[in-house]
Amino acid sequence: GLPKPLALTSLALLALGVLAFVAGLVKDPQSTWLAFQSNFIFTTMLACAGLTLAAIYTIVDAKWCGPYRRFAEGLAAWIPFAFLMGIIGVFGGPYLFEWYDAPMHGKEDWLNPTRVYSTDLFLLGAMSLLAIGFLKASARPTLHDLAENGEGLPGRLAQKWTAGWQGDEVERALAKQRTERLAPVICLVFGVGFSLFNFDQVMSMEQAWYSNLFGAYVCWGGILSAVAASTLLGVL
């Protein structure tokens, strides 16, 4: 677990953020939702790209990355929370998107709340499930000692994640097999699915402008952010 002072500081900052968000909605909802959207896009792409980076390490069977793989997987642990942010963001649609109430002629079938949010929440939900499955498979071989000797919530989670333990060698082989199956799916969902996500959540904020490259551009920005974050974590 986190050291107690750091955990308490994090909880205090979380509470401050929630209070600031609520106060912002009362005082200036449009600016507040724009700030929320900026954070939502950046953290979501960083987390999904972290998972994709770990998947790339798996596909190419990288041996050199060592703990940097864990840094990427740590970023990916945010994805289920990004899904929750996506649900909250539905309520900000009228403040973020011109098309929410007045779509351009010819774009009504694509730029409408039902299509946009059903597609994007599906993508976030699918990536959340892939992240949980991948992270569980990847971490399982390292958790046996924690399951036997750990205390509190970490110990209980480790016991749950290592149920039916089959021995170190077998578990490592199974982890490799499971992550190798999930890795290509993760890369495809990120590269193709989240290009559509970026069209919806970023490019459509200016509904008259469009670029076929925009979705991939933002996805690649996420990959570079994940590499930079992993490097920074390694240095620290």
Side-chain angles (χ1 to χ4, degrees):
L2 290 174
K4 191 173 182 179
L6 181 57
L8 292 176
T9 301
S10 298
L11 289 174
L13 291 172
L14 175 62
L16 180 62
V18 172
L19 289 174
F21 181 64
V22 173
L25 290 178
V26 173
K27 185 177 180 180
D28 187 354
Q30 184 169 30
S31 295
T32 302
W33 280 115
L34 285 169
F36 177 91
Q37 183 75 352
S38 297
N39 282 274
F40 169 57
I41 296 301
F42 177 74
T43 56
T44 297
M45 296 311 297
L46 181 63
C48 291
L51 181 63
T52 305
L53 196 58
I56 292 170
Y57 292 151
T58 299
I59 291 170
V60 301
D61 197 23
K63 300 291 196 300
W64 59 267
C65 51
Y68 283 83
R69 177 189 178 97
R70 298 302 183 197
F71 296 153
E73 291 177 349
L75 297 173
W78 177 255
I79 296 175
F81 297 97
F83 176 67
L84 295 178
M85 290 183 72
I87 295 174
I88 295 171
V90 173
F91 299 97
Y95 299 95
L96 295 170
F97 304 112
E98 294 178 351
W99 51 258
Y100 196 93
D101 295 313
M104 289 182 63
H105 177 67
K107 295 188 176 183
E108 300 91 338
D109 292 338
W110 185 258
L111 294 181
N112 64 78
T114 300
R115 203 287 307 164
V116 167
Y117 287 114
S118 61
T119 299
D120 296 350
L121 289 177
F122 173 79
L123 289 168
L124 283 169
M127 196 61 113
S128 297
L129 293 175
L130 288 168
I132 293 170
F134 186 92
L135 296 180
K136 184 176 180 179
S138 180
R140 179 179 165 99
T142 71
L143 296 176
H144 192 228
D145 183 65
L146 178 61
E148 290 187 332
N149 303 303
E151 298 177 353
L153 179 61
R156 292 194 298 272
L157 285 174
Q159 290 170 10
K160 183 177 180 181
W161 278 31
T162 57
W165 184 261
Q166 301 179 56
D168 291 350
E169 187 174 343
V170 173
E171 290 294 340
R172 284 194 293 269
L174 288 173
K176 189 173 187 297
Q177 184 183 71
R178 290 166 182 162
T179 54
E180 284 176 346
R181 288 176 179 173
L182 290 172
V185 180
I186 289 168
C187 290
L188 286 171
V189 171
F190 182 69
V192 179
F194 276 80
S195 288
L196 294 175
F197 177 89
N198 293 322
F199 289 147
D200 291 341
Q201 293 292 326
V202 185
M203 192 172 74
S204 76
M205 295 178 77
E206 180 59 63
Q207 63 173 334
W209 182 83
Y210 60 90
S211 166
N212 292 336
L213 290 174
F214 187 85
Y217 180 85
V218 180
C219 283
W220 184 242
I223 291 286
L224 295 179
S225 296
V227 171
S230 295
T231 303
L232 182 60
L233 289 169
V235 171
L236 294 175

